[in-house]
């Protein structure tokens, strides 16, 4: 047996030609290998990716407990993999079997590992190849990333461990002929609490988003884009699943069920390495279900701008580490969310020197603002705090893209930039977002940015689109076939205009905590909002969005045209009801997570 004391650490190593990560979807333990002192190992695991679940698992550990693919978290960093106990011997197999290359190009087996022991000191052996090359590791508590070079026809790696360890993010990376696969990687960047009107021409006075506007100049931009709800959890889930909130069920007091198929799951099954870097605890908290499909899921607790800096640094580093692989990355930033933090130079640019009122960064939240008697000057100051925070987010985004440019990651990166909801500044005598469906709360930007290897082309989508459209647009662009339920449209389809010209825009905000349901429907120029109480009684308001874009004049009079719109809403909801709904899952939060959610105004 050939022996190698160490494997090289993960770094920016390029394989010959274009590469693809072959998802490790089969794991079995070799029963013929002895487990010292306790007889042979009796593990037989099979990880099979399916559309309805993350994994199916068979077999049991020697302790009699099921061994399954799970996320292991160390602080904010969670990774998908498997726990192995002392004496276990596991065999990781490529999901596609052996891959033969005419040019005999080598491949790589990449993985993360960390010890689960209180005092790590025991060895882990990783063995592969016909000559059984052996690599020795003594993993510590923090995550370690490793790369093993494997021969062209190798398709499995054996792991023997003397102590409890967690092995995650396992994948084989192979050199392939460039025309065998589409060349693109994918990024979805969701900017929390970004109003649609925040995206302004970089030459306009007081623009807070010059970089976003620059990106939009060579992208497809939807100017009538809407979220599916006015707060984070349901609307984000719609972006990641292509489903309306009544179907994915991720609402107040509800988690995203495992049976829901996420875009990350489909990308991972297609051979992509997947990662999420999330600053909002309202989807990052353990038990909310948003880790589904991600090899790595890193959560960051908001604390000034530090969390944003950490998330951005880690995302760039993860992309760098996965050079040569196809990747899908989700970033959820939260800088524009109250308390509207920003650096001093941007405060100086957007805030008025003459303001001496009672409102500052740390009390510009809806609970404090609702109790205060504010002047018009105070309200303008809150808006200026928000604009400074948006400008801060724009600067961070520019820095992120600059770093990706430096490592060569932009040339094949398809990017979606959008938001989960907008923000209210007392236009309707309220603050922030949630529990109301005014335009300022549900209109959001949506930018589809092609890779640099594609010719830039500024295109505008004038017809209404929604967050549910991100899911099918990405699937169509990468060429992933999916036969499950999708409520959205492919926004890059040449026949889009004819597909959505009569589209109904639907909003659903089902608040189980307050026993109030809010629904909204836009048909052409008319918008209907329905507030339904626990007894099923409705309050209806109707607006003409052309004559009254601020939504101040309620036109509902039970006239035939009003009832026709209500019938459209009921019919639409009945059609959605014909699709199987997901089960209800109630999360349980730790005290720390509860404190964070309260600070953000969610509890």
């Amino acid at each position: 047996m050939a022996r190698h004391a160490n494997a090289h650490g993960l770094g920016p190593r390029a394989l010959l030609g274009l590469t693809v990560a072959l998802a490790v979807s089969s794991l079995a333990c070799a029963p013929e290998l002895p487990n010292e002192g306790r007889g042979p190992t009796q593990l037989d695991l099979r990880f099979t990716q399916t559309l309805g679940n993350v994994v199916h698992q068979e077999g049991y550990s020697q302790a009699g407990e099921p061994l399954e693919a799970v996320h292991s978290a160390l602080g904010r960093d969670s990774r998908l993999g498997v726990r192995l106990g002392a004496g276990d011997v596991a065999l990781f197999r490529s999901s596609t079997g052996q891959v033969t290359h005419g040019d005999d190009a080598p491949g790589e087996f990449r993985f993360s590992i960390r010890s689960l022991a209180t005092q790590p000191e025991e060895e882990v052996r990783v063995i592969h190849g016909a000559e059984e090359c052996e690599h020795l590791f003594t993993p510590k508590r923090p995550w370690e990333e490793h790369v093993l070079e494997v021969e062209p026809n190798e398709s499995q790696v054996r792991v023997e461990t003397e102590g409890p360890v967690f092995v995650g993010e396992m994948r084989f990376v192979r050199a392939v002929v460039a025309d065998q696969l589409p060349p693109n990687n994918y990024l979805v960047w969701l900017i929390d609490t970004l109003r649609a009107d925040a995206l302004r021409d970089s030459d306009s006075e007081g623009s807070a988003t010059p970089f976003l506007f620059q990106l939009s100049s060579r992208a497809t931009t939807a100017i009538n884009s809407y979220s599916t709800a006015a707060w984070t959890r349901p609307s984000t889930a719609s972006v990641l699943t292509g489903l309306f909130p009544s179907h994915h069920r991720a609402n107040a007091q509800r988690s995203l069920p495992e049976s829901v198929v996420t875009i990350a799951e489909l990308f991972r099954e297609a051979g992509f390495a997947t990662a999420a870097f999330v600053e909002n605890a309202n989807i990052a908290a353990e038990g909310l279900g948003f880790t589904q499909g991600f090899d790595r899921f890193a959560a960051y607790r908001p604390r000034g701008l530090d969390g944003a800096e950490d998330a951005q640094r880690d995302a760039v580093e993860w992309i760098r580490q996965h050079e040569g692989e196809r990747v899908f990355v989700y970033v959820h930033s939260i800088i524009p969310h109250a308390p509207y933090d920003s650096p001093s130079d941007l405060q100086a640019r957007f805030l008025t020197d003459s303001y001496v009122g009672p409102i500052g960064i740390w009390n510009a939240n809806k609970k404090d603002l609702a109790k205060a008697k504010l002047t018009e000057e105070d309200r303008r100051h809150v808006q200026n705090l928000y604009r400074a925070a948006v400008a801060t987010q724009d600067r961070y985004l520019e820095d992120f893209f600059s770093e990706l440019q430096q490592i060569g990651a932009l040339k094949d990166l398809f990017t979606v930039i959008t938001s989960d909801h907008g923000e209210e500044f007392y236009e309707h005598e309220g603050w922030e977002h949630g529990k109301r469906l005014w335009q300022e709360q549900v209109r959001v930007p949506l930018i589809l940015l092609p890779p640099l290897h594609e010719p830039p082309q500024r295109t505008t989508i004038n017809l209404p689109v929604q967050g549910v459209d991100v899911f099918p647009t990405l699937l169509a662009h990468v060429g992933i076939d999916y036969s499950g339920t999708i409520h959205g449209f492919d926004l890059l389809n040449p026949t889009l205009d004819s597909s959505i010209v009569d589209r109904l825009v639907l909003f659903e905000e089902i608040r189980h905590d307050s026993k109030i349901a809010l629904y909204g429907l836009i048909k052409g120029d008319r918008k209907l909002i329905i507030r339904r109480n626990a007894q099923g009684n409705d309050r209806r308001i109707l607006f003409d969005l052309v004559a009254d874009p601020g939504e101040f004049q309620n036109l509902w009079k039970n006239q035939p045209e009003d009832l026709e719109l209500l019938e459209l809403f009921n019919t639409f909801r009945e059609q959605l009801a014909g699709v199987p709904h997901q089960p209800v899952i109630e999360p349980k939060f730790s005290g720390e997570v509860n404190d964070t959610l309260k600070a953000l105004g969610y509890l």
Side-chain angles (χ1 to χ4, degrees):
M1 175 184 296
R3 300 177 62 87
H4 301 275
N6 294 290
H8 56 77
L10 187 59
R13 303 179 66 254
L15 301 181
L16 298 176
L18 182 65
T19 61
V20 58
L22 304 178
V24 177
S25 62
S26 179
L27 167 67
C29 288
E32 72 277 5
L33 294 175
N35 180 15
E36 294 193 19
R38 294 185 294 170
T41 308
Q42 296 297 322
L43 298 178
D44 184 19
L45 305 180
R46 314 213 180 275
F47 288 180
T48 304
Q49 307 295 336
T50 65
L51 291 181
N53 212 335
V54 178
V55 293
H56 287 306
Q57 58 84 24
E58 301 174 2
Y60 294 83
S61 68
Q62 291 187 8
E65 298 177 353
L67 193 59
E68 59 182 343
V70 296
H71 274 87
S72 177
L74 182 64
R76 64 173 183 257
D77 196 349
S78 174
R79 309 194 188 190
L80 182 68
V82 61
R83 292 186 178 93
L84 296 177
D88 286 346
V89 181
L91 188 68
F92 296 96
R93 298 192 183 102
S94 165
S95 61
T96 58
Q98 293 185 349
V99 181
T100 301
H101 306 285
D103 58 1
D104 290 330
E108 294 177 342
F109 176 69
R110 301 183 179 185
F111 65 99
S112 300
I113 190 170
R114 75 181 187 92
S115 174
L116 301 177
T118 304
Q119 295 181 331
E121 59 183 16
E122 296 178 345
E123 288 186 340
V124 174
R125 295 176 176 83
V126 181
I127 303 164
H128 65 94
E131 297 183 1
E132 296 198 334
C133 298
E134 180 179 303
H135 306 266
L136 302 179
F137 302 90
T138 306
K140 305 301 181 185
R141 294 282 293 179
W143 287 107
E144 300 174 0
E145 290 83 22
H146 294 285
V147 176
L148 304 180
E149 187 172 285
V150 296
E151 294 301 316
N153 292 326
E154 289 185 37
S155 61
Q156 62 187 36
V157 171
R158 191 167 79 239
V159 177
E160 303 175 2
T161 175
E162 296 178 350
V165 298
F166 192 94
V167 184
E169 297 186 285
M170 303 86 70
R171 66 254 184 224
F172 286 86
V173 183
R174 299 288 188 180
V176 299
V177 179
D179 61 4
Q180 288 183 272
L181 291 166
N184 296 320
N185 296 312
Y186 293 84
L187 166 69
V188 174
W189 190 303
L190 191 147
I191 302 173
D192 207 296
T193 322
L194 188 63
R195 290 169 57 127
D197 58 10
L199 184 61
R200 295 184 181 179
D201 188 328
S202 57
D203 294 330
S204 64
E205 183 179 356
S207 173
T209 55
F211 182 70
L212 270 173
F213 189 83
Q214 176 187 335
L215 291 182
S216 69
S217 67
R218 65 177 192 88
T220 297
T221 303
I223 62 174
N224 287 302
S225 175
Y226 293 89
S227 60
T228 59
W231 69 292
T232 297
R233 198 181 306 161
S235 58
T236 301
S238 291
V239 170
L240 297 178
T241 66
L243 302 173
F244 285 113
S246 59
H247 285 257
H248 61 59
R249 295 295 185 96
N251 266 295
Q253 309 302 316
R254 300 290 186 265
S255 298
L256 186 65
E258 287 189 4
S259 52
V260 173
V261 181
T262 69
I263 189 71
E265 289 179 272
L266 297 179
F267 268 95
R268 193 174 67 194
E269 289 172 2
F272 287 73
T274 58
F277 303 88
V278 178
E279 298 171 40
N280 192 329
N282 208 12
I283 66 168
E286 185 177 359
L288 287 180
F290 285 85
T291 60
Q292 296 175 54
F294 290 107
D295 298 316
R296 182 175 177 185
F297 191 97
Y300 304 83
R301 184 177 182 182
R303 55 186 195 285
L305 299 176
D306 293 344
E309 293 172 357
D310 292 344
Q312 185 161 306
R313 181 196 62 241
D314 291 350
V316 171
E317 177 61 17
W318 187 88
I319 293 171
R320 186 191 68 80
Q321 290 174 346
H322 289 73
E323 181 182 5
E325 299 182 56
R326 299 179 76 192
V327 299
F328 170 75
V329 182
Y330 175 72
V331 177
H332 191 124
S333 56
I334 198 173
I335 295 175
H337 194 291
Y340 310 137
D341 198 5
S342 60
S344 58
D345 66 311
L346 291 178
Q347 291 180 31
R349 177 184 167 194
F350 288 96
L351 304 186
T352 303
D353 292 338
S354 61
Y355 179 75
V356 293
I359 304 302
I361 288 177
W362 298 107
N363 69 341
N365 59 76
K366 61 184 174 185
K367 290 183 180 179
D368 290 332
L369 294 173
K371 294 182 292 185
K373 294 182 179 181
L374 302 180
T375 66
E376 185 61 32
E377 183 184 21
D378 294 329
R379 293 168 188 157
R380 284 197 301 269
H381 184 68
V382 176
Q383 288 181 288
N384 289 336
L385 288 171
Y386 172 77
R387 292 173 63 215
V390 170
T392 305
Q393 180 65 77
D394 191 71
R395 176 182 291 178
Y396 273 63
L397 193 65
E398 182 175 15
D399 291 345
F400 179 82
F401 272 74
S402 176
E403 292 182 69
L404 292 188
Q405 178 70 34
Q406 292 175 21
I407 63 175
L410 286 183
K411 63 182 183 296
D412 56 3
L413 186 67
F414 182 94
T415 303
V416 177
I417 300 175
T418 189
S419 184
D420 51 352
H421 53 76
E423 190 82 326
E424 182 178 348
F425 295 106
Y426 212 70
E427 291 94 335
H428 291 89
E429 300 185 352
W431 297 98
E432 296 191 22
H433 52 271
K435 300 185 180 179
R436 291 141 76 88
L437 296 174
W438 306 118
Q439 291 288 86
E440 58 265 21
Q441 290 203 29
V442 295
R443 289 196 63 220
V444 296
L446 179 60
I447 299 171
L448 307 174
L449 183 67
L452 290 179
H453 70 75
E454 295 183 11
Q457 182 177 4
R458 184 169 187 173
T459 306
T460 300
I461 301 175
N462 295 297
L463 294 172
V465 305
Q466 285 200 271
V468 290
D469 299 326
V470 172
F471 185 99
T473 300
L474 288 174
L475 293 187
H477 194 272
V478 74
I480 295 175
D481 292 327
Y482 176 59
S483 59
T485 300
I486 300 176
H487 293 151
F489 295 87
D490 170 16
L491 298 181
L492 298 178
N493 190 318
T495 64
L496 175 68
D497 286 359
S498 61
S499 300
I500 67 173
V501 65
D502 295 321
R503 180 181 198 168
L504 301 178
V505 175
L506 178 67
F507 312 102
E508 297 181 311
E509 188 154 325
I510 305 165
R511 308 290 301 206
H512 303 283
D513 50 353
S514 61
K515 298 182 180 179
I516 293 292
L518 281 175
Y519 302 102
L521 184 77
I522 295 178
K523 169 65 174 173
D525 300 335
R526 304 170 75 205
K527 179 178 178 182
L528 173 66
I529 298 177
I530 300 173
R531 181 181 178 89
R532 182 167 296 164
N533 63 21
Q535 290 72 42
N537 298 319
D538 290 351
R539 180 186 174 224
R540 300 161 190 154
I541 51 179
L542 177 66
F543 302 101
D544 183 328
L545 295 177
V546 173
D548 179 27
E551 299 171 290
F552 296 118
Q553 184 178 0
N554 182 8
L555 302 178
W556 182 267
K557 295 180 180 179
N558 283 313
Q559 296 298 313
E561 60 268 24
D562 301 346
L563 298 175
E564 180 182 357
L565 190 60
L566 179 63
E567 182 61 26
L568 273 176
F569 167 77
N570 290 330
T571 301
F572 193 13
R573 291 272 302 165
E574 288 171 3
Q575 291 174 348
L576 293 177
V579 181
H581 290 244
Q582 303 299 328
V584 172
I585 308 294
E586 297 190 7
K588 295 181 180 179
F589 300 130
S590 67
E592 181 181 6
V593 170
N594 270 319
D595 292 343
T596 300
L597 293 176
K598 287 180 181 178
L600 292 173
Y602 291 118
L603 296 178

